[in-house]
Amino acid sequence: MRKFCRFGQFVAGLGALVAVHAAPSAHAQSASTPTAAQSDDLFRAAAYAGRFAEGARALEGKLIANPDDAQAVLGLGALKAFDAIAQFQRALYARTGTLASAPGLETFRRNALGQPGRSVLSLVVPVNPDATPMTYAALREILTDFVMRLEAAEKVLAQVADRDVKLVVQPGRVAIDLDSNGTIDAQERIFLSFLGRVSAEQRTAFITSELALDATDASWMRGYTNLIMGTVELLLAFDFSPTYEAAGHLLFGEDATAFGLELKRDARFGRSQAAIAAELASVKKRLDDAQRRARSLVVLNALTARLTELVKRDAPAADREELLERIAEERARRKTAQREVRQLQQQRRALQRENSGQADVGFFDLVAAVHSLNWRVADRVRLESARRRLLRALAINTTTWRLARAERDDDREFLPNAKQTAPFGVAPVTDDIIDGWLATTALMTDVLEGRRLIPHPRFQRGINVKRLLETATRIDFIAIASGHALVPYLDSGPVITQREWHTRVAPFGQDFPQFAIWFN
């Protein structure tokens, strides 16, 4: 199970990045024509260099000349999805400053994927020392643009349908220029960033694997783009400015909110978290260097051996005295390094105490954020659009598995059927698992359509999610959790029971969350 969970962590990255890395299962052998080969080459060159828009323009030109080039259609759709993510990341990067007063959130960001120094947020939003402060209005514009770009990608991917196509890609080489500096650094190879605590063998398998995009995977990507668009539109349907003002500085830096700026000005909190972290990093670096010098005996041992040799040869006293002076100097240097180590260790402890002294500050912001979770519906059209997109994602998922089950080959699959080999050494996907997943998605469709009701421990009746999304004017998350805000949405009808849910997810065992991320 641990091995699958690691794979789940890996696929979580795929999901968060919009199905861009998904690949494979060959629906049929694609014709290897010169035109198709050129489209393949254009796609890979753009994907590996992070030049998605440039590659998309080239493939659009090919489609004008040859509209039947299915390879170009699939490559274009994938590159547009990549570009949507890249533009989203760059827009956030332009407005994400240092995290000064939120050590708790900084810890979350650094460890969200189990890899120190990297997380979903730090991948999408690397800290920009020259950031323009984020605002609530700017964040809404960025999210709106993200949805529009994903929608354009989804429309292209829909044109693949069930056509004979296969596009080979090495996911480990796909890159996004996160900081827009024109070069691709090692950490900007997207897959590598998600390989946190995995074995060297698994890491190598992920990096070197070659996957084959086909019609099944184009459908999978369509499903994921609709899932992400639906989720983002659900957020945009509400006025979440109270929560942003309460905690936006935790994600985007002190300058992002009025309260964050007040924390920055208020000397009561001492230095900012960013300043402490910067000095702590400097001290740690100097400490490592001093410890190396304090432990090093290479020079001293060489000088001592040389002195022993001179004594055995009864060398002139002047030569021995010179060597003794050098040995004394080396010992003095080691003692100086040892004193420096002790001093730096004291500095480090002091900084760590100062750091922990601020560690509880972020807790108050989280409390304020929870308290602010009472959002007004600001755009009812968008709220309904979010529901439709989520329903579309579920419907497309059915098509994805129909295509997957129709496959007869076994060629570098990402989404395998029961007769194909699962990627990265993961256990085979059985028909029971696929059936269980389709039954679960059918249940979720019924929930969004109001045909099935969600249970709440305080009521015999169930919650009609469709009615809630269609009629709610405000969503108070705390009152919903307690049941107080659910009374208008209670309905008589078939309520999902715990036994029914467990029956649906039983084929997955304890790995249902990982399968859900993988299967979309």
Side-chain angles (χ1 to χ4, degrees), residues 27 79 85 113 143 157 250 275 287 291 301 320 326 338 369 392 425 434 448 494 502 507 516:
H27 184 251
L79 288 178
I85 298 162
L113 288 177
L143 292 170
L157 290 167
L250 299 182
L287 179 58
Q291 286 174 330
N301 288 344
R320 282 180 284 173
R326 293 178 60 190
Q338 289 167 348
R392 188 180 304 158
I434 297 174
L448 287 172
H502 286 323

Side-chain angles (χ1 to χ4, degrees), residues 1-17 21 108-116 118-120 123 190-199 202-203 206 220 224 414 424 426 510-519:
M1 186 180 73
R2 183 177 301 151
K3 186 175 183 179
F4 188 88
C5 288
R6 287 170 176 168
F7 176 67
Q9 177 192 64
F10 170 70
V11 222
L14 299 184
L17 290 169
H21 298 108
F108 166 77
R109 281 173 50 129
R110 289 180 180 276
N111 297 290
L113 288 177
Q115 184 177 2
R118 307 296 294 167
S119 73
V120 171
L123 281 169
I190 303 175
F191 267 4
L192 305 187
S193 302
F194 290 100
L195 302 182
R197 297 169 181 171
V198 299
S199 67
Q202 289 172 320
R203 186 180 181 84
F206 288 144
W220 185 87
Y224 244 118
F414 177 76
F424 314 122
V426 177
Q510 296 181 340
D511 294 327
F512 177 74
Q514 286 78 24
F515 274 105
I517 292 168
W518 181 14
F519 284 4

Side-chain angles (χ1 to χ4, degrees), residues 144-466:
T144 301
D145 180 73
F146 187 35
V147 170
M148 292 175 60
R149 290 178 184 276
L150 285 177
E151 188 168 34
E154 195 269 342
K155 286 180 179 178
V156 175
L157 290 167
Q159 297 172 27
V160 176
D162 60 353
R163 287 202 270 179
D164 177 12
V165 60
K166 184 180 294 187
L167 196 62
V168 177
V169 61
Q170 288 180 278
R173 296 181 62 188
V174 177
I176 286 182
D177 188 4
L178 298 179
D179 51 12
S180 302
N181 66 355
T183 61
I184 302 300
D185 301 322
Q187 70 272 18
E188 292 176 320
R189 298 292 175 187
I190 303 175
F191 267 4
L192 305 187
S193 302
F194 290 100
L195 302 182
R197 297 169 181 171
V198 299
S199 67
E201 181 181 342
Q202 289 172 320
R203 186 180 181 84
T204 300
F206 288 144
I207 293 172
T208 60
S209 289
E210 196 172 68
L211 301 175
L213 291 162
D214 66 358
T216 296
D217 304 293
S219 180
W220 185 87
M221 286 188 273
R222 284 189 65 207
Y224 244 118
T225 54
N226 276 282
L227 177 62
I228 293 174
M229 286 189 288
T231 303
V232 174
E233 285 209 299
L234 190 62
L235 178 63
L236 288 172
F238 295 96
D239 175 8
F240 59 95
S241 59
T243 303
Y244 177 86
E245 294 303 329
H249 58 282
L250 299 182
L251 297 178
F252 302 110
E254 288 177 321
D255 296 336
T257 65
F259 187 74
L261 287 170
E262 189 61 36
L263 290 179
K264 190 175 182 180
R265 288 191 294 265
D266 191 354
R268 173 171 165 264
F269 288 96
R271 294 190 300 159
S272 70
Q273 176 69 18
I276 298 171
E279 186 175 349
L280 189 55
S282 173
V283 167
K284 286 180 178 179
K285 183 177 180 181
R286 288 159 52 203
L287 179 58
D288 288 342
D289 178 64
Q291 286 174 330
R292 278 194 301 271
R293 287 185 280 112
R295 289 192 301 263
S296 176
L297 292 171
V298 176
V299 176
L300 185 59
N301 288 344
L303 291 173
T304 304
R306 176 62 177 160
L307 178 62
T308 302
E309 182 184 347
L310 291 178
V311 170
K312 287 181 180 178
R313 286 173 20 196
D314 196 20
D319 293 344
R320 282 180 284 173
E321 286 174 4
E322 181 183 353
L323 204 52
L324 284 169
E325 287 178 4
R326 293 178 60 190
I327 289 173
E329 289 173 359
E330 183 61 27
R331 285 175 175 165
R333 274 195 291 269
R334 287 192 72 233
K335 286 182 179 179
T336 300
Q338 289 167 348
R339 283 195 301 272
E340 187 179 350
V341 166
R342 289 192 292 271
Q343 292 169 355
L344 289 169
Q345 286 173 335
Q346 290 175 355
Q347 288 183 42
R348 182 178 64 177
R349 285 192 291 270
L351 287 166
Q352 287 170 337
R353 283 194 297 271
E354 184 180 2
N355 191 45
S356 10
Q358 291 194 14
D360 292 334
V361 174
F363 170 76
F364 296 110
D365 295 319
L366 294 178
V367 171
V370 172
H371 183 69
S372 70
L373 292 175
N374 186 348
W375 297 348
R376 176 181 61 84
V377 174
D379 189 336
R380 184 158 299 285
V381 173
R382 217 179 253 287
L383 191 59
E384 177 56 26
S385 175
R387 190 179 75 89
R388 288 198 306 270
R389 288 194 192 279
L390 294 175
L391 283 169
R392 188 180 304 158
L394 292 166
I396 291 172
N397 195 269
T398 302
T399 300
T400 300
W401 285 105
R402 175 180 59 79
L403 292 172
R405 280 180 148 169
E407 294 176 10
R408 295 293 178 265
D409 65 343
D410 188 5
D411 182 16
R412 295 162 288 185
E413 308 300 334
F414 177 76
L415 204 64
N417 62 36
K419 296 180 180 179
Q420 294 173 322
T421 305
F424 314 122
V426 177
V429 174
T430 66
D431 280 322
D432 284 345
I433 288 175
I434 297 174
D435 289 340
W437 176 249
L438 291 174
T440 303
T441 56
L443 185 62
M444 293 302 97
T445 299
D446 287 342
V447 167
L448 287 172
E449 292 287 19
R451 295 190 290 264
R452 297 298 302 273
L453 308 176
I454 298 292
H456 190 282
R458 303 193 70 178
F459 305 107
Q460 294 297 318
R461 290 172 293 167
I463 300 102
N464 189 318
V465 173
K466 181 181 180 183

